[in-house]
């Protein structure tokens, strides 16, 4: 079961990286647009997408956290975590993982601990 879960996590990470590459290529084509969403430049949007993918991959690689139950969004380098954690330790570990990811300015953890 552990091997199956590990291979699934790797598969998810690879798919996310591939999607980020496609997103980056698409955005490079339309780089003449100054603003993509909420007053972000194309470069900022791509940077945030890269941070989100990196945090999700690190959560998936860590056996103490569930990448499935934790949603990650990034805006201007601020990572927003939402969803559910199995324990306070998992919630804290998710914050630590996100904070230690390259280019993250801060982390807002809105995870709810489910009893």
């Amino acid at each position: 079961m552990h091997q199956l879960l590990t291979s699934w996590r790797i598969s998810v990470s690879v798919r996310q990286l591939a999607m980020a590459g496609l997103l980056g290529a698409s955005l490079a084509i339309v780089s003449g647009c100054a603003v993509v969403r909420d007053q972000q430049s194309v470069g900022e949007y791509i940077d945030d997408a890269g941070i989100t993918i990196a945090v999700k991959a690190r959560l998936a690689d860590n056996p103490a956290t569930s990448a499935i139950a934790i949603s990650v969004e990034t805006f201007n380098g601020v990572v927003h975590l939402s969803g559910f954690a199995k324990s306070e330790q998992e919630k804290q570990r998710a914050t630590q993982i996100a904070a230690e990811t390259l280019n993250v300015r801060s982390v807002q953890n809105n995870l709810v601990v489910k009893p």
Side-chain angles (χ1 to χ4, degrees), residues 46-94:
I46 291 171
D47 290 345
D48 284 345
I51 291 170
T52 296
I53 290 167
V55 170
K56 278 298 257 188
R58 293 186 71 208
L59 289 171
D61 288 341
N62 192 299
T65 57
S66 171
I68 296 170
I70 300 173
S71 295
V72 180
E73 292 187 35
T74 308
F75 186 74
N76 291 332
V78 178
V79 174
H80 301 268
L81 302 175
S82 60
F84 299 98
K86 293 175 285 223
S87 66
E88 188 62 37
Q89 291 79 14
E90 181 182 23
K91 181 177 178 176
Q92 291 172 3
R93 184 68 181 127

Side-chain angles (χ1 to χ4, degrees), residues 16-40:
Q16 289 172 336
L17 290 174
M19 290 300 290
L22 290 173
L23 175 66
S26 299
L27 291 176
I29 293 170
V30 295
S31 63
C33 298
V35 177
V36 174
R37 76 169 190 194
D38 299 326
Q39 302 302 311
Q40 273 191 313

